[in-house]
């Protein structure tokens, strides 16, 4: 009887020790493995490469004299005079649709609506030269602000004059 008891006590002691040991091993492997995993991720060049690729900016500013020649070199385009002539020969209607219609078709921001004879009669009375100058240089009137060239600095004075002609022709 006491022999059984002794065996049982020893047996339980060993089982307890084994359980403690395995719990300790689990904790140890977590600590060691966790650290190793972390350093694998933060040091592995493949992983770093992937992260850098994903957080790369979409565009880069090219700084004169610092960036690679292909980025900086102006494209060697030899513009043929004939091509330029074609480009500049846009009609007043085209210029109007591209640069002025956004405000003047609906009369946005106080702009005189194209086709509104009453709104245009007093303006047309100022004379074409005044209207050209105000459209090209910009104009602050009582109704609002007419931005220079309708905000399209790329337009030639010619193109703006053509658009003014088109607008006034539509509005009288
Ligand atoms: C951002 C809106 C906007 C755009 C784009 C715009 N205009 Fe105007 N324009 C105005 C406003 C507002 C006025 C009225 C200003 C006032 O009389 O108070 C005006 C007035 C004018 C006038 C009358 C000026 C005067 O002396 O009475 C002409 C001409 C004119 N615009 C031409 C153009 C042409 C041509 C374009 C395109 C190249 C253009 N506008 C694009 C807002 C715009």
């Amino acid at each position: 009887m006491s022999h059984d008891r002794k065996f049982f006590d020893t047996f339980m002691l060993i089982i307890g020790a084994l359980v403690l040991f395995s719990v300790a091993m689990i904790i140890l492997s977590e600590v060691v493995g966790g650290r190793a995993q972390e350093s694998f991720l933060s040091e592995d060049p493949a992983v770093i490469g992937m992260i850098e690729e994903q957080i790369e900016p979409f565009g880069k500013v090219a700084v004169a004299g610092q960036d690679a020649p292909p980025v900086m070199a102006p494209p060697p385009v030899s513009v043929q005079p004939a091509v330029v002539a074609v480009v500049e020969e846009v009609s007043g209607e085209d210029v109007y649709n591209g640069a002025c219609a956004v405000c003047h078709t609906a009369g946005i921001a106080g702009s005189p609506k194209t086709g509104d004879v009453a709104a245009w009669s007093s303006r047309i009375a100022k004379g074409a030269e005044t209207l050209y100058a105000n459209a090209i240089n910009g104009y602050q009137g009582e109704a609002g602000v007419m931005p220079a060239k309708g905000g399209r600095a790329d337009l030639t004075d010619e193109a703006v004059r053509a658009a003014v002609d088109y607008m006034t022709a539509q509005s009288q």
Side-chain angles (χ1 to χ4, degrees), residues 1-12:
M1 193 57 192
S2 81
H3 180 73
D4 281 355
R5 174 93 217 162
K6 194 157 184 236
F7 170 78
F8 185 74
D9 285 351
T10 314
F11 185 75
M12 287 314 283

Side-chain angles (χ1 to χ4, degrees), residues 101-114:
V102 63
C103 290
H104 284 277
T105 297
I108 284 174
S111 59
K113 220 162 142 177
T114 306

Side-chain angles (χ1 to χ4, degrees), residues 99-100 103-104 109 111-112 123 126 131 134 139 141-146 150:
C100 324
C103 290
H104 284 277
S111 59
R123 297 180 189 271
K126 293 194 256 182
L131 296 188
N134 288 346
Y139 170 69
E142 278 166 25
V145 176
M146 161 67 207

Side-chain angles (χ1 to χ4, degrees), residues 7-145:
F7 170 78
F8 185 74
D9 285 351
T10 314
F11 185 75
M12 287 314 283
L13 206 67
I14 291 172
I15 293 282
L18 281 174
V19 168
L20 268 181
F21 179 71
S22 42
V23 168
M25 286 316 272
I26 289 171
I27 292 173
L28 188 68
S29 69
E30 285 287 316
V31 171
V32 173
R35 266 198 214 135
Q37 170 92 341
E38 213 169 88
S39 63
F40 271 137
L41 287 180
S42 60
E43 285 163 21
D44 185 351
V47 174
I48 292 173
M50 259 163 53
I51 294 172
E52 279 178 352
E53 204 173 282
Q54 287 180 7
I55 61 173
E56 228 173 41
F58 292 124
K60 285 183 185 147
V61 175
V63 179
Q66 280 180 26
D67 291 281
V71 180
M72 296 310 303
V77 205
S78 59
V79 182
Q80 302 289 317
V83 176
V84 173
V86 169
V87 170
E88 282 185 351
E89 265 176 34
V90 281
S91 71
E93 183 175 1
D94 290 339
V95 176
Y96 172 79
N97 287 330
C100 324
V102 63
C103 290
H104 284 277
T105 297
I108 284 174
S111 59
K113 220 162 142 177
T114 306
D116 184 340
V117 177
W120 276 97
S121 61
S122 62
R123 297 180 189 271
I124 291 171
K126 293 194 256 182
E129 286 306 323
T130 307
L131 296 188
Y132 292 156
N134 288 346
I136 290 167
N137 303 321
Y139 170 69
Q140 162 83 73
E142 278 166 25
V145 176

